[in-house]
Amino acid sequence: QVHLVESGGGSVQSGGSLRLSCTASGITLRNYCTAWFRRTSGEQRERVAIIGSGSSTEYEDSVQGRFTITLDNADNTLYLQMNSLKPEDTAMYYCAAGPVRFRTDCIFEYEGQGTQVTVSS
């Protein structure tokens, strides 16, 4: 059975940093496409960052240069380093994993429960 468990969320002031972790069991993350999504209250899910085939990465425009997605193969853990946080980054953040169709076009079959990030101005 596959489990993805996020941690590291919390409340920070604008300009602060957080590092989110996603620990996987029942699945080897390096064999899949992995990503971080976020959802604000009442809005659709937004893909924040992704690691696709060949370790290619992509970022949502609003986080480019501030967020970094990495995968620790030894720990089977996906990370999202978030710097220079803004109030508009406030959301529930989820990690997801699934097979790659092409580069960063992926089918996300597995998803965690999420960790809340709140950024105050």
Side-chain angles (χ1 to χ4, degrees), residues 32-37 45 47-60 64 69 96-109:
Y32 292 87
C33 181
T34 52
W36 286 95
F37 290 81
R45 189 174 74 168
R47 194 181 78 189
V48 175
I50 186 171
I51 301 176
S53 63
S55 299
S56 56
T57 59
E58 286 185 359
Y59 295 90
E60 197 272 328
Q64 181 75 49
I69 186 171
V100 176
R101 291 191 289 199
F102 181 71
R103 289 184 60 84
T104 55
D105 181 12
C106 308
I107 303 171
F108 291 103
E109 298 179 342

Side-chain angles (χ1 to χ4, degrees), residues 13 26 68 99:
Q13 290 190 329
T68 304

